[in-house]
Amino acid sequence: MVDIIQEAEEDLRQEHLYKTLKRYGPKVAAGALVILVGTAGYVAWQGYVDRGFERLSEAYYAATQKKTPEAQRQAMATVAQTSDSFGVVARYKLAQLTQDLTHLTALQGASSTPTALKGAALTLQILDAMDRLDTAKVPAVLAQLDKLASMGAHWTPLSKLLQAIILVATGTSQEKQRGVALLQGLVD
């Protein structure tokens, strides 16, 4: 008798599970599919953004390594056409190289927020300090870079990149390792 009751209960559980799966299964599967596709789209978009950022950072670095001011101006002009933080810095650097304020005027027109202008101006000051950097001024420049990073998430990668460059170029072996770690963090 007990076996019959247990079999009946098991059959009822299976029937209830079947009805529940039949009723909610497609909805759960569709929800899981939406989450999966959304996650894949987000990861793909982040990869696209990261590759673009990497290309811009390489272009900016290559522009700063040019031997002649004319070659720097030409390379900076290419990077200056972008609308992200590297473009902002490149427009300021281009204005500095050409001693021409039209690039700064164009920058002010393109930057709609006061924070962007403040960040760009601070970046220009940092770049000027980096041009004639000595080890005594490194802590002050690093403090300015921390201030730049605090101006918003879009300034953080640039701040970390400049910090890494300074630490690798002028730091002790520990500071150089910290600079390399910052660079690896940007790549990751």
Side-chain angles (χ1 to χ4, degrees), residues 43-108:
V43 168
W45 175 253
Q46 281 302 111
Y48 173 77
V49 168
D50 289 346
R51 284 188 301 278
F53 183 77
E54 187 175 312
R55 281 192 303 273
L56 280 174
S57 66
E58 289 170 357
Y60 181 80
Y61 179 75
T64 61
Q65 299 303 307
K66 299 291 182 185
K67 299 294 182 200
T68 65
E70 182 58 35
Q72 278 188 354
R73 279 192 290 274
Q74 289 174 352
M76 283 293 171
T78 304
V79 178
Q81 294 172 6
T82 63
S83 62
D84 68 349
S85 57
F86 278 107
V88 171
V89 173
R91 285 190 284 279
Y92 269 110
K93 189 69 174 173
L94 189 59
Q96 180 187 20
L97 287 169
T98 60
Q99 302 296 316
D100 183 2
L101 296 180
T102 58
H103 295 288
L104 294 177
T105 305
L107 174 66
Q108 290 172 350

Side-chain angles (χ1 to χ4, degrees), residues 29-45:
L33 185 63
V34 166
I35 290 171
L36 183 66
V37 169
T39 302
Y42 176 77
V43 168
W45 175 253

Side-chain angles (χ1 to χ4, degrees), residues 13-30:
R13 276 190 235 135
Q14 284 180 350
E15 187 176 317
H16 181 69
L17 179 63
Y18 176 74
K19 284 181 182 178
T20 303
L21 285 175
K22 189 173 181 180
R23 183 175 181 188
Y24 296 110
K27 294 174 185 174
V28 170

Side-chain angles (χ1 to χ4, degrees), residues 133-140 142 160-183:
L133 188 65
D134 61 50
T135 54
K137 293 182 182 177
V138 168
L142 292 175
K160 286 183 179 180
L161 175 67
L162 294 175
Q163 283 179 354
I165 291 169
I166 290 171
L167 290 172
V168 169
T170 63
T172 63
S173 63
Q174 255 186 336
E175 290 171 333
K176 287 180 183 189
Q177 288 176 350
R178 189 173 138 225
V180 170
L182 279 172
L183 287 173

